Amino acid sequence: MLMVTMKDIAERAKVSIATVSYVLNESGNVGEDTKKKVLEVIKELNYRPNLIAKSLKMKKTNTIGVIVEDMTVFNAPNIIDGINENAEKLGLSILLTNMRLEKRVSNNPNDPDLVKPIIKKIMDELVSKKVDGIIYVGLHPRDVTESIPETDIPILFTYCYTTKQEHCAINYNDEQAAYEATNYFVSKGHKKIALISGHIDSMSSHSRYSGYYKSIKKHNLLFNPSYIKTGDWRFDSGYSLTKELLETKDLPTAILAMNDQMAIGAIRACNDLGYRVPDDISIIGFDNREFGAYYSPKLTTMSLPLRRMGLLAIETIYHLISGSPTDCNKLKTTLSCELIERDSVCPPTGLF
Amino acid sequence: MLMVTMKDIAERAKVSIATVSYVLNESGNVGEDTKKKVLEVIKELNYRPNLIAKSLKMKKTNTIGVIVEDMTVFNAPNIIDGINENAEKLGLSILLTNMRLEKRVSNNPNDPDLVKPIIKKIMDELVSKKVDGIIYVGLHPRDVTESIPETDIPILFTYCYTTKQEHCAINYNDEQAAYEATNYFVSKGHKKIALISGHIDSMSSHSRYSGYYKSIKKHNLLFNPSYIKTGDWRFDSGYSLTKELLETKDLPTAILAMNDQMAIGAIRACNDLGYRVPDDISIIGFDNREFGAYYSPKLTTMSLPLRRMGLLAIETIYHLISGSPTDCNKLKTTLSCELIERDSVCPPTGLF
DNA sequence: TTGTATGCGTTATCAA
DNA sequence: TTGATAACGCATACAA
């Protein structure tokens, strides 16, 4: 493949390579005439700079390596979309690596002995490719410290975090989200609000429980332990736990489920037991998954700020690699979630 | 940032740079002792090759530029997942560009005057980055010829295509998919099968209609024009068109919807009019979207071979850039879809 | 204002 | 079996 270089431009324009470089980078003082001439030839020969050569010289690639634990998980596309959006604005390229963690080590994505060598290999590759920084996009919010090898390259975590001081992490605020969801129930007049939690060993579960609890306390509502059920994030657990909830004496009028799958499981359980949603029981989900909008009733849910996390991630790493020292203070950032009001919540009817 | 180079290795091991290169690439004949010594130093200094320098020298980056029209659209993540999987096997890196077409020019993603300059800019960037090839991932299956600028780099299209001879395109077989879906209805005993089509100007709509028609003819079924309805891909059109269908004299016993949104719109319409799915009316959707699995009944649907398209795309471009001439024959490839049997289809009851 | 020359970290040719 | 050395395309210090 033919490739036109600065040398070709120089010869054709009868100037030196340096001059070509000057007009290309608008460095140095180039006379108007020569400049014009050079520009002409550049256009004429359809010159495209060789960024590989430039990178070698400058020791800077303007490229960010993005490691995503699993591309096909619902959080990834929107985070990457955000990364891309600001990357373009900042003149950064994205070198994407998809670990396909879910498929590769589906049983235990948290086993460092399994995962660390994979990440190490990917990072070595990125080091060799001379990326200026790395963004690591997690599968779900959790501590990945043990799986991350040492590295000199600036690295930033999103949708996960490490306990290391020097590691940036951008996440959303689980506690605030659950707090506001619960507040929303209260604002509609609910006093008996149940909670269907995710796995008990999940960080998100803890934080969301905590937000729920704070709201209950703040509004001086009775905290009823039998309203707290622990599921496993899946439809079936939402379904069966809701059935348990509806078989007790003192029925709740509202259920906060920690994800949308369990939320629609809850709706189904209500329906199967003859309760209507939201008329008899109100339900809020989490994650704002697509299917919630197509369900009947349309699911009210907490939306995660995925795109904004991506936007902020790339922006932050940009500052990091540009050596702005100020950013080192707010290393751990957390963004707010937003309630999507749809049709699965209404005031309690007072029937029970 | 400290960076250890071959020169450092050479000095430390008391050999020449060339020798280091020889052992690194296993080229040339290097004595066992020197080899061992060099390898030791490499490990000791934790040497990582500079692929930028190598690329400059070799005029090959082993990097594929992936341009995706919209990352957040349902087809993209699985295609990219497939691309990544084989990219890793083939030693290729992925430079990802997300056009965010849906957001940028939401009204008219097909207007070349709007889109072509955007693509041109992205391609110039990829040319400068010296990618060895380009994969272009479309928003939906259609002819994008007019939006694609000329380029010297090997380029391959997936989830879209061009009319140019020299352009590879990997897509799925819409006609086969609709043909098999209709056959499936017939195999269950259905004779009165309605079709809810997508936009009439869509290539997919045409092909799927054609597959439907072939199946009807093949089984000597009566082709009833009033069973053909044209929607706009959205839930609401599936809903209202199904209502129209159910208000005619001669009710269909089965409905093939050209996507999952319209399919669940159809289910809802059936329910609202007092028909049960699948007992009274069977329904098949298209695309195997996630929400179909959570619907009630679980939606039987045609699954698109997205991951396989990605796998094949990167494999094909690999052959293209390796200069295998044999692949030029089968430039336009089409992959089969697969029916996902769930709960929205059963034999007709014979009530109408 | 413009040109010469050096080096970025590799690979590869040619000599030794 | 090894070592000098010249590219690869670009940016830049320094000279003119």
Side-chain angles (χ1 to χ4, degrees), chain B residues 96-286:
Chain B
L96 179 78
T97 312
N98 178 10
M99 291 178 62
R100 305 189 352 275
L101 201 55
E102 193 100 279
K103 288 141 199 159
R104 226 193 289 231
V105 289
S106 56
N107 29 354
N108 34 11
N110 294 322
D111 181 352
D113 293 339
L114 244 51
V115 177
K116 198 167 183 175
I118 300 176
I119 303 182
K120 173 94 172 95
K121 192 167 160 249
I122 293 172
M123 284 206 181
D124 282 348
E125 188 69 21
L126 292 178
V127 167
S128 277
K129 288 264 180 184
K130 298 291 158 198
V131 299
D132 297 331
I134 294 178
I135 296 177
Y136 188 96
V137 183
L139 188 58
H140 40 246
R142 70 197 194 290
D143 180 3
V144 294
T145 312
E146 296 304 317
S147 300
I148 306 299
E150 289 287 328
T151 180
D152 294 329
I153 305 184
I155 183 166
L156 179 153
F157 296 82
T158 185
Y159 217 78
C160 65
Y161 56 92
T162 77
T163 52
K164 295 208 175 166
Q165 280 278 333
E166 67 272 23
H167 283 167
C168 266
I170 292 173
N171 285 283
Y172 62 88
N173 194 332
D174 268 313
E175 186 175 313
Q176 164 266 345
Y179 180 72
E180 290 196 0
T182 313
N183 286 350
Y184 180 73
F185 275 143
V186 176
S187 76
K188 291 289 180 185
H190 291 275
K191 292 187 178 358
K192 301 192 284 180
I193 305 166
L195 179 70
I196 297 183
S197 163
H199 272 134
I200 199 66
D201 61 347
S202 145
M203 190 66 193
S204 288
S205 296
H206 275 135
S207 304
R208 290 176 189 177
Y209 169 78
S210 168
Y212 162 87
Y213 188 80
K214 276 194 184 166
S215 174
I216 296 293
K217 284 298 161 191
K218 182 195 170 199
H219 296 97
N220 292 315
L221 264 29
L222 184 70
F223 173 75
N224 184 343
S226 66
Y227 282 172
I228 310 294
K229 298 285 182 185
T230 302
D232 65 1
W233 302 116
R234 286 141 46 94
F235 178 95
D236 287 344
S237 74
Y239 183 83
S240 55
L241 292 174
T242 300
K243 280 200 164 172
E244 286 181 22
L245 241 19
L246 299 181
E247 279 159 0
T248 57
K249 288 250 149 64
D250 197 21
L251 290 187
T253 62
I255 301 176
L256 173 59
M258 283 196 192
N259 73 6
D260 288 343
Q261 276 97 330
M262 295 194 297
I264 62 173
I267 294 178
R268 185 79 59 83
C270 290
N271 292 339
D272 285 1
L273 261 47
Y275 297 99
R276 292 162 305 159
V277 177
D279 311 73
D280 299 324
I281 300 189
S282 289
I283 292 178
I284 295 182
F286 241 99

Side-chain angles (χ1 to χ4, degrees), chain A residues 73-132:
Chain A
V73 154
F74 86 98
N75 64 66
N78 281 300
I79 294 179
I80 297 176
D81 191 60
I83 292 176
N84 272 291
E85 185 175 339
N86 267 350
E88 189 185 325
K89 285 183 191 149
L90 298 168
L92 261 21
S93 292
I94 297 303
L95 203 50
L96 179 79
T97 313
N98 178 9
M99 291 178 63
R100 304 189 353 274
L101 200 56
E102 193 97 281
K103 287 141 199 161
R104 227 195 287 229
V105 290
S106 56
N107 28 354
N108 34 11
N110 295 321
D111 181 352
D113 293 339
L114 244 53
V115 176
K116 198 167 181 174
I118 300 177
I119 303 181
K120 173 94 172 96
K121 194 170 159 245
I122 293 172
M123 284 206 182
D124 281 349
E125 188 69 21
L126 292 179
V127 168
S128 277
K129 288 265 179 183
K130 298 292 159 197
V131 298
D132 297 330

Side-chain angles (χ1 to χ4, degrees), chain A residues 306-327:
Chain A
L306 300 172
R307 191 169 142 276
R308 279 169 52 222
M309 287 165 67
L311 289 170
L312 187 57
I314 186 83
E315 200 180 304
T316 306
I317 200 110
Y318 176 75
H319 286 130
L320 244 43
I321 63 179
S322 307
S324 315
T326 44
D327 298 285

Side-chain angles (χ1 to χ4, degrees), chain A residues 291-302:
Chain A
F291 54 78
Y294 292 117
Y295 220 70
S296 176
K298 288 179 186 151
L299 186 65
T300 293
T301 184
M302 263 300 181

